[in-house]
Amino acid sequence: MLFDRLKRFAIVLEGAERGAPAAFSPGQAVAGRVLLELAAAARLGALRLRAGGAARVHWTESRSAGSSTAYTQSYSDQVEFLSHRDTLLAPPDNGEVTVLQAGRHEFPFTFQLPETLATSFEGKHGSVRYWVKAKLHRPWSTVKKVKKEFTVIEPIDINTPALLAPQAGAKEKLARAWYCNRGQVSVTAKIDRKGYTPGEVIPIFAEIDNCTSRAVVPKAAIIQTQTFIARGTKKQKKSVVTSIVGDSIAAGKREVWHGRALKIPPVGPSILQCRIIQVEYSLKVCVDIPGTSKLLLELPLVIGTIPLHPFGSRTSSVSSQYSINLDWLSTIPEQPEAPPEYSSVVSSPEAEQSLAPPCRSELGGVLEGPFFAYIQEFRFRPPPLYSEIDPNPPSDNIRPRCMTC
């Protein structure tokens, strides 16, 4: 039997560290070899290779059809990104079989990735995966298969005008309890830009006015929203990536954040161009108000892969000059602390519209999976030079202090 003589059958991709999947960006050439080690001579039919990549979503929902009946509705869809086939060892034209002698045999291969690919991703209701499969055929015997997965990182350059634009917003809420007005709470927040990379610190500039009769607590968090689309229906999962809690603000007082730091932990980049899977991020500044729902202000974020170039222009893209750096994929970070519950940083109405808040055991999965083991060796910018001019002047839309403050 062939498989009694087969000592090793494996796929090796160039550029892969030992024990870690290889990583590529769209448009790159993927090269590797199929290793075949035989203990004795064997007759083979063919050795075929297939590379593939696809996004898949699937979930089920139970629906009531009456007081005592129910049925389950399934939703699924698939988008294929990559399909490549090759024959590494073909049988002779005369119909005979190929005889390989004992020892080690290598069969090299290479193929080109398309220019447009979605980033590898593992989610609760879907995934984006890429792989290489090899099949070893022998007459009158079962087919031997081996599979090797690899990671694709779609480059997202934050050095673009859209992602370098500042983000700001303001909201207010009237605190009510037992149909009595207890005053108003307002929040104004601003961040320097929309695009960031993992490891960077987001400086939050915010002003919270507490015109109520009770103390309130401000918070800020980065929220990841996974959206799965199938048959015109959407399914979402929201998770807290990281958060900070501010000091309690007494009744009739104002709190100002002068660049309160919120560090981005190891997370996957945004996925915005896939038809059935999207991964989006947002910065949410909320205020816990006793006796009523939270005041929530949301600012959009994009998590990229190409960090900010300190010498580049803030009004033009430098993506054509700098390509994605994949050297950091060999660095495996320490496991971060579990983030807080999603319900602790969102308002009650929004929590009811989304999925049930994840428990602590589920939150750990946000930073797990094949992709989340990779994170860039972060490069921080040097501190700014001293200047007499305030680099962050107060915004004109900041609300004036209330009369009771």
Side-chain angles (χ1 to χ4, degrees), residues 156-159 163 193-202 222 262-269 301-309 328 375-380:
I156 301 179
D157 188 0
I158 68 171
N159 299 277
L163 300 186
R193 45 191 161 93
K194 184 178 182 180
Y196 289 86
T197 53
E200 285 194 282
V201 173
I202 303 177
I222 297 177
L262 180 60
K263 186 176 180 179
I264 305 175
V267 293
L301 287 177
V302 172
I303 303 299
T305 60
I306 302 177
L308 182 68
H309 186 249
W328 49 268
I375 185 60
Q376 186 171 7
E377 181 180 356
F378 307 123
R379 300 173 175 85
F380 296 100

Side-chain angles (χ1 to χ4, degrees), residues 286-307:
C286 70
V287 182
D288 281 340
I289 308 173
T292 187
S293 58
K294 299 177 178 68
L295 170 61
L296 181 63
L297 173 62
E298 183 175 358
L299 301 178
L301 287 177
V302 172
I303 303 299
T305 60
I306 302 177

Side-chain angles (χ1 to χ4, degrees), residues 53-111:
R56 295 185 176 93
V57 297
H58 177 78
W59 75 88
T60 58
E61 294 181 359
S62 297
R63 300 183 180 274
S64 175
S67 58
S68 60
T69 59
Y71 67 96
T72 300
Q73 182 72 41
S74 296
Y75 298 88
S76 61
D77 202 349
Q78 176 176 325
V79 176
E80 187 176 46
F81 296 125
L82 170 66
S83 181
H84 171 82
R85 297 177 185 272
D86 195 7
T87 300
L88 304 182
L89 178 64
D93 296 335
N94 57 10
E96 299 292 331
V97 295
T98 301
V99 178
L100 290 184
Q101 300 301 318
R104 179 187 175 99
H105 303 271
E106 296 188 2
F107 301 89
F109 63 85
T110 182
F111 59 90

Side-chain angles (χ1 to χ4, degrees), residues 72-327:
T72 300
Q73 182 72 41
S74 296
Y75 298 88
S76 61
D77 202 349
Q78 176 176 325
V79 176
E80 187 176 46
F81 296 125
L82 170 66
S83 181
H84 171 82
R85 297 177 185 272
D86 195 7
T87 300
L88 304 182
L89 178 64
D93 296 335
N94 57 10
E96 299 292 331
V97 295
T98 301
V99 178
L100 290 184
Q101 300 301 318
R104 179 187 175 99
H105 303 271
E106 296 188 2
F107 301 89
F109 63 85
T110 182
F111 59 90
Q112 193 81 18
L113 293 177
E115 294 293 335
T116 302
L117 291 175
T119 295
S120 300
F121 171 75
E122 293 291 332
K124 183 175 182 179
H125 304 293
S127 62
V128 181
R129 297 173 181 170
Y130 300 90
W131 65 90
V132 179
K133 292 181 180 179
K135 293 183 178 181
L136 184 61
H137 299 261
R138 185 198 182 205
W140 312 107
S141 182
T142 58
V143 178
K144 184 70 173 179
K145 303 177 183 179
V146 65
K147 180 179 179 180
K148 182 75 172 181
E149 293 189 354
F150 62 93
T151 300
V152 171
I153 311 293
E154 179 189 10
I156 301 179
D157 188 0
I158 68 171
N159 299 277
T160 61
L163 300 186
L164 292 175
Q167 304 295 307
K171 270 195 176 182
E172 58 186 28
K173 187 179 186 65
L174 189 63
R176 297 175 180 270
W178 296 101
Y179 303 101
C180 296
N181 294 338
R182 288 187 171 178
Q184 182 172 276
V185 179
S186 62
V187 59
T188 301
K190 176 185 177 181
I191 55 177
D192 291 339
R193 45 191 161 93
K194 184 178 182 180
Y196 289 86
T197 53
E200 285 194 282
V201 173
I202 303 177
I204 305 173
F205 300 88
E207 184 174 305
I208 303 99
D209 276 319
N210 179 18
C211 296
T212 69
S213 59
R214 304 181 65 179
V216 299
V217 179
K219 299 178 181 179
I222 297 177
I223 306 297
Q224 183 196 68
T225 302
Q226 302 176 8
T227 303
F228 308 91
I229 306 171
R231 297 169 54 185
T233 302
K234 293 184 178 181
K235 189 77 169 179
Q236 286 190 335
K237 184 181 187 304
K238 297 189 177 184
S239 303
V240 179
V241 174
T242 186
S243 67
I244 56 174
V245 179
D247 299 328
S248 177
I249 305 174
K253 298 296 182 179
R254 169 183 293 181
E255 174 76 11
V256 179
W257 286 359
H258 298 284
R260 188 70 179 266
L262 180 60
K263 186 176 180 179
I264 305 175
V267 293
S270 301
I271 300 178
L272 306 175
Q273 305 301 324
C274 182
R275 179 174 62 84
I276 62 175
I277 295 179
Q278 296 178 357
V279 178
E280 300 171 299
Y281 294 89
S282 62
L283 173 67
K284 293 192 176 182
V285 179
C286 70
V287 182
D288 281 340
I289 308 173
T292 187
S293 58
K294 299 177 178 68
L295 170 61
L296 181 63
L297 173 62
E298 183 175 358
L299 301 178
L301 287 177
V302 172
I303 303 299
T305 60
I306 302 177
L308 182 68
H309 186 249
F311 305 106
S313 171
R314 291 182 62 88
T315 58
S316 62
S317 171
V318 295
S319 59
S320 59
Q321 306 175 30
Y322 301 95
S323 60
I324 182 172
N325 182 8
L326 296 177
D327 295 339

Side-chain angles (χ1 to χ4, degrees), residues 340-396:
E341 300 257 351
Y342 174 67
S343 58
S344 65
V345 290
V346 298
S347 59
S348 298
E350 182 175 344
E352 294 175 358
Q353 293 176 4
S354 63
L355 294 181
C359 62
R360 290 188 179 272
S361 60
E362 292 175 346
L363 290 174
V366 176
L367 304 179
E368 295 176 354
F371 174 75
F372 296 117
Y374 315 128
I375 185 60
Q376 186 171 7
E377 181 180 356
F378 307 123
R379 300 173 175 85
F380 296 100
R381 293 189 295 167
L385 298 177
Y386 176 78
S387 174
E388 295 290 344
I389 302 176
D390 185 4
N392 299 290
S395 178
D396 294 335

